[in-house]
Amino acid sequence: MSQTESDRSETVDVPVGAGGNRGRGACAAECVVASNHRRDAGATRGGAVDDREASRRPSRDSSDGRAVRRVLVLASRFPPVASVGAIRIRKFVKYFRRFGWEPVVMTGAMRRSGGGGQDVRRATDLESLADLPDELEMHRLSPVVDHWPGFLARYCGFRLGRWTRGLGLDERAWSAGLRWRFQRAHDRLSFPDRGIWRLASAVGLALKLHRHHRFDAIFSSGMPFSDHVVGLVLQSLLRRPWLADFRDPWVEYIHWRQWETAWGGRLTRATEAAVVRRASFVIGVNEHMTRRFAVRYGRERPGKFVTIPNGFDPLDFEAAGREKPCSRFRLLYAGSLYGARSPKTVLEGFRRFLDAVPGSRSHARFDFAGRPGPYITELKSFSEGGAVQYLGMLPHAAALRSMASADVNVVILPKVHGGENDTTAKIYECLGSNRAMLAAVPSDGAAAAAVRRFNGVWLCDPEDPDGIAEALKEMYGRWLAGTLRVIRRPASLWPFTREHQTGQLASLLDAAIGKGLKAESRKSKVESRKPKVESRKPKVESRKSKAENRKSKVESRNLKAGGRNLKVGS
């Protein structure tokens, strides 16, 4: 496993349009949604692009005067979807123009508000829209492709119910009976995930956008891996350089059991191999994932597999620094919990710390924010006098503000097969917060290697509550003495900033474009040689005709000579 980013559901999110307003808070975010809904409605109607409007658009230049190249971004995880994957793509889009690239985003249907906070498919973060560039162009697909079982069941129920209403089977009964059957077929045929049902509409819209923009490159990011399938088809049709960004490993994806059959595994490996072969570059979020791709596809060219880790945006913490610090020794875990990623060991370590240190119960507090998974009851019923609190689902900006005001930020990674290679995106934001970090992660894993060289980090075994308690004792003592505050040098954190990582991605796009231009140049040279070859054909044919004429003359002379011989003989 590599990065576990709360994108574990195989169902593709249904994101919303781009943000243009810079207002704060949920009210401002709603205004952003409404504003962009109007703008997108003018740009896209049912997936169609107004070519007349496209012809009137002026060409744009980057800040340094270079012509801006356009990249089509395929992203199911995009604001206001509340997931780590959406944050990664959002930051790429935010900084692309600084490096001479204009992104055009294609994503799912708009959803203004989310459902339950437990559902990764429905959770939304409206405040994240304010982080998007004003000039961002975004196109959304129809919601019908995401929810066709329900639409089809209602349509068929309406048709059939008119004829069977007298038998006691009305539209509602038909719809209910058909819906679960359609849904079962939908789920069983979804490969590599439910986003595959968007393939036809996504490809059709992308082709129309390409006629408008003439994209220079394509960029897709997965999980969900159906975004890579869309990228594969588009690269085959458009013949443009394509970068495939893997936030999670595909073949080894440990959170999804649907395709664990023998034929499902073969299909998964074959599809991943096709993506890797056709992509100009394959990007992993850590070195282990990159090495794994390089070993598995050893015949690919050197340098094709590149690492661009997750990171943090220093600008996100500027406003957070003005918050009033808490008067208590506050620990914060901001992230998702699920079956394997359990808080039990950390909570036990916290309990033993409270039991061992006099006075700590009145000063220490452990807050949890994010998706609690199956542990919501345990968090709410922790019987330590309110020392543990669950803050619920927070917008990303609010979570960062909370991290910047916490005394200790906690990272939890379980010891599971493949988990030693997990580099959860949260570790970079913890580093960027300039707060102490309690990292309960495998000591020989990629996450430990990433944070070990920084000061203010306490590494603990995720299955050792006594070790966690000892680390908390040391941090609590420093907090009492006023020496717990951590300052990390900006130069050491620069490689993990989102702006730097967008520069890395832009460099790969530039390199891919360069390779594409060289290939086109070679192709044009080959084409230019063809007329020369064709021009030689008439000369060759003329020589052949001359040779045939000479041959016929020789034969005629031979006939004449033969006639003379006959006369002489007679």
Side-chain angles (χ1 to χ4, degrees):
M1 182 177 74
S2 175
Q3 174 200 4
T4 307
E5 50 162 59
S6 304
D7 284 353
R8 300 186 309 277
S9 172
E10 70 277 15
T11 302
V12 181
D13 297 319
V14 186
V16 80
N21 199 318
R22 290 292 187 240
R24 296 290 179 184
C27 179
E30 290 285 0
C31 295
V32 172
V33 175
S35 170
N36 283 280
H37 178 56
R38 290 192 297 271
R39 184 180 66 188
D40 288 344
T44 305
R45 288 189 185 92
V49 178
D50 190 337
D51 292 326
R52 291 171 298 177
E53 181 67 23
S55 64
R56 292 195 294 268
R57 291 190 180 181
S59 60
R60 297 178 177 178
D61 294 331
S62 62
S63 58
D64 59 1
R66 295 180 299 169
V68 175
R69 292 167 170 170
R70 288 184 171 86
V71 56
L72 175 63
V73 177
L74 307 174
S76 293
R77 300 285 195 260
F78 198 73
V81 172
S83 76
V84 173
I87 297 170
R88 179 177 175 89
I89 308 304
R90 180 182 100 207
K91 296 300 182 179
F92 284 151
V93 165
K94 177 180 178 179
Y95 289 111
F96 257 139
R97 279 188 61 81
R98 296 192 183 184
F99 302 96
W101 284 90
E102 180 78 26
V104 177
V105 178
M106 190 171 72
T107 185
M110 184 173 68
R111 173 168 292 174
R112 296 196 176 211
S113 60
Q118 306 297 318
D119 193 346
V120 69
R121 295 167 289 169
R122 297 180 178 275
T124 57
D125 178 6
L126 295 176
E127 290 185 18
S128 65
L129 294 169
D131 197 35
L132 297 174
D134 291 329
E135 66 275 9
L136 177 66
E137 181 176 339
M138 177 183 174
H139 298 267
R140 299 183 295 262
L141 298 173
S142 168
V144 175
V145 295
D146 292 311
H147 309 291
W148 68 260
F151 284 102
L152 184 59
R154 286 195 294 273
Y155 175 79
C156 294
F158 173 76
R159 291 289 185 180
L160 295 171
R162 291 190 302 174
W163 299 98
T164 61
R165 190 177 294 113
L167 301 175
L169 292 174
D170 58 4
E171 294 91 337
R172 184 174 299 179
W174 275 109
S175 296
L178 292 173
R179 183 182 182 112
W180 71 268
R181 290 176 171 84
F182 290 157
Q183 189 66 48
R184 183 172 63 178
H186 170 278
D187 295 347
R188 289 185 176 181
L189 297 175
S190 296
F191 177 85
D193 49 64
R194 295 179 185 177
I196 198 62
W197 297 103
R198 295 178 177 178
L199 180 62
S201 58
V203 170
L205 176 56
L207 293 178
K208 293 174 184 177
L209 291 173
H210 180 64
R211 289 197 295 271
H212 174 172
H213 290 294
R214 290 296 169 188
F215 294 114
D216 298 284
I218 304 167
F219 173 77
S220 63
S221 184
M223 166 83 189
F225 303 114
S226 54
D227 285 353
H228 291 324
V229 177
V230 175
L232 176 65
V233 174
L234 288 177
Q235 197 281 331
S236 302
L237 295 174
L238 303 181
R239 299 293 176 176
R240 289 295 189 267
W242 167 39
L243 273 62
D245 177 46
F246 284 84
R247 304 190 309 272
D248 286 289
W250 191 343
V251 171
E252 300 89 352
Y253 195 62
I254 68 171
H255 303 294
W256 191 23
R257 309 300 181 189
Q258 184 175 359
W259 295 98
E260 285 192 341
T261 61
W263 72 271
R266 287 193 295 270
L267 186 57
T268 299
R269 290 189 292 273
T271 312
E272 183 192 82
V275 167
V276 170
R277 281 196 304 268
R278 297 303 293 266
S280 300
F281 289 98
V282 176
I283 303 168
V285 294
N286 61 37
E287 292 295 341
H288 176 82
M289 185 187 296
T290 303
R291 285 194 301 270
R292 183 165 48 199
F293 276 123
V295 171
R296 182 180 300 156
Y297 304 102
R299 295 183 179 180
E300 297 294 327
R301 72 174 191 278
K304 183 171 187 174
F305 304 101
V306 183
T307 300
I308 300 181
N310 279 302
F312 72 99
D313 191 345
L315 297 179
D316 290 339
F317 288 103
E318 286 187 359
R322 295 193 293 268
E323 281 199 355
K324 184 178 179 180
C326 182
S327 60
R328 304 181 69 176
F329 175 64
R330 191 168 76 92
L331 288 78
L332 173 67
Y333 176 81
S336 296
L337 299 171
Y338 50 90
R341 187 180 292 181
S342 167
K344 292 182 179 180
T345 304
V346 173
L347 286 175
E348 180 60 29
F350 182 64
R351 190 196 311 272
R352 296 182 186 185
F353 154 72
L354 295 179
D355 292 339
V357 179
S360 60
R361 292 181 184 276
S362 59
H363 291 98
R365 195 178 84 197
F366 200 159
D367 292 340
F368 285 81
R371 297 184 183 89
Y375 303 104
I376 179 65
T377 303
E378 189 165 355
L379 294 177
K380 289 184 175 180
S381 62
F382 191 82
S383 57
E384 292 298 331
V388 174
Q389 296 184 11
Y390 173 59
L391 306 180
M393 288 287 295
L394 298 179
H396 183 238
L400 293 181
R401 289 193 293 269
S402 189
M403 290 174 64
S405 62
D407 296 293
V408 179
N409 286 303
V410 179
V411 175
I412 302 174
L413 289 178
K415 273 189 174 180
V416 295
H417 179 66
E420 66 277 2
N421 303 312
D422 191 347
T423 53
T424 174
K426 191 58 63 178
I427 65 174
Y428 303 106
E429 292 179 339
C430 289
L431 291 173
S433 69
N434 273 325
R435 292 292 195 247
M437 182 195 307
L438 174 66
V441 300
S443 59
D444 58 345
V451 302
R452 184 176 281 114
R453 61 191 180 93
F454 291 97
N455 64 331
V457 177
W458 278 259
L459 285 171
C460 302
D461 189 294
E463 297 179 354
D464 180 14
D466 290 325
I468 293 172
E470 289 299 320
L472 291 175
K473 288 180 188 178
E474 182 178 351
M475 286 186 280
Y476 180 70
R478 293 194 183 189
W479 177 79
L480 290 175
T483 60
L484 185 59
R485 182 63 187 245
V486 177
I487 301 296
R488 301 183 179 99
R489 294 184 300 107
S492 65
L493 294 174
W494 173 247
F496 303 115
T497 61
R498 298 290 189 179
E499 182 178 357
H500 173 75
Q501 292 160 353
T502 306
Q504 290 179 295
L505 179 57
S507 297
L508 294 179
L509 288 170
D510 292 338
I513 289 294
K515 290 181 175 64
L517 292 175
K518 289 179 182 178
E520 289 294 328
S521 176
R522 288 194 297 270
K523 185 177 180 181
S524 63
K525 288 180 180 178
V526 171
E527 293 293 333
S528 66
R529 294 192 191 106
K530 286 184 178 180
K532 296 179 181 179
V533 175
E534 295 292 332
S535 65
R536 294 188 191 121
K537 288 184 178 180
K539 295 180 180 179
V540 173
E541 290 176 355
S542 66
R543 292 194 194 103
K544 287 175 66 177
S545 63
K546 289 179 181 179
E548 290 174 354
N549 289 335
R550 285 196 296 270
K551 185 177 179 182
S552 64
K553 288 179 181 179
V554 170
E555 290 177 350
S556 65
R557 284 198 295 268
N558 290 338
L559 288 173
K560 289 179 181 179
R564 287 195 295 271
N565 292 334
L566 288 172
K567 288 179 180 180
V568 172
S570 64

